[in-house]
Amino acid sequence: MNERVKELRKALGLSGEKFGERLGVGKTAISRIENGSNGITDQMFKSICREFNVNEDWLRNDIGPMFKTPDDEFAECVADMLTEDNPLYDAIKKIMVTYRKLDSTSKDVIDKLINDAFNSQKKKED
């Protein structure tokens, strides 16, 4: 995993100092991780993945692409939302099941409503 941290840093075009700044550590800590004298803590692992949008499987096991795709991030979000301990689980489940049963005209109306609401919110933010 240590060599992949170095590979990631270089792929991002960051010095050890700049890479460490983004993670809240110094360049010495990054150097020690990269050369294998320090291991990567779970907290550092999570910080690297979150801060640089890194695919956890790649960083941990060298499996898959270096970076997460938008679809990966969406899948993680859905998985997080659809756990039974999430207070919104029942509501999300009902919405999804009900939407699936709608006819195409009703789906089109809901799709337009949602898109209009998002576009309106985006204009307010801009």
Side-chain angles (χ1 to χ4, degrees), residues 19-111:
F19 189 81
E21 281 177 14
R22 302 251 315 254
L23 299 168
V25 299
K27 66 181 179 181
T28 304
I30 299 305
S31 177
R32 287 181 179 154
I33 288 171
E34 289 181 355
N35 71 29
S37 61
N38 282 7
I40 300 175
T41 64
D42 282 342
Q43 182 178 356
M44 179 61 73
F45 176 83
K46 290 175 185 176
S47 294
I48 290 170
C49 291
R50 182 184 61 247
E51 181 64 28
F52 300 109
N53 198 36
V54 172
N55 174 356
E56 291 182 24
D57 281 339
W58 176 82
L59 185 57
R60 206 178 285 280
N61 305 307
D62 199 16
I63 297 172
M66 183 181 290
F67 298 102
K68 289 189 271 186
T69 67
D71 286 343
D72 294 336
E73 194 167 358
F74 175 70
E76 286 178 18
C77 182
V78 170
D80 289 345
M81 289 174 30
L82 293 180
T83 58
E84 291 189 28
D85 59 338
N86 181 334
L88 297 175
Y89 173 81
D90 288 331
I92 293 167
K93 182 177 167 185
K94 286 176 187 176
I95 290 167
M96 292 173 73
V97 169
T98 301
Y99 181 85
R100 186 171 182 227
K101 293 177 183 177
L102 293 174
D103 60 63
S104 62
T105 302
S106 298
K107 286 180 182 177
D108 289 345
V109 169
I110 290 174
D111 292 348

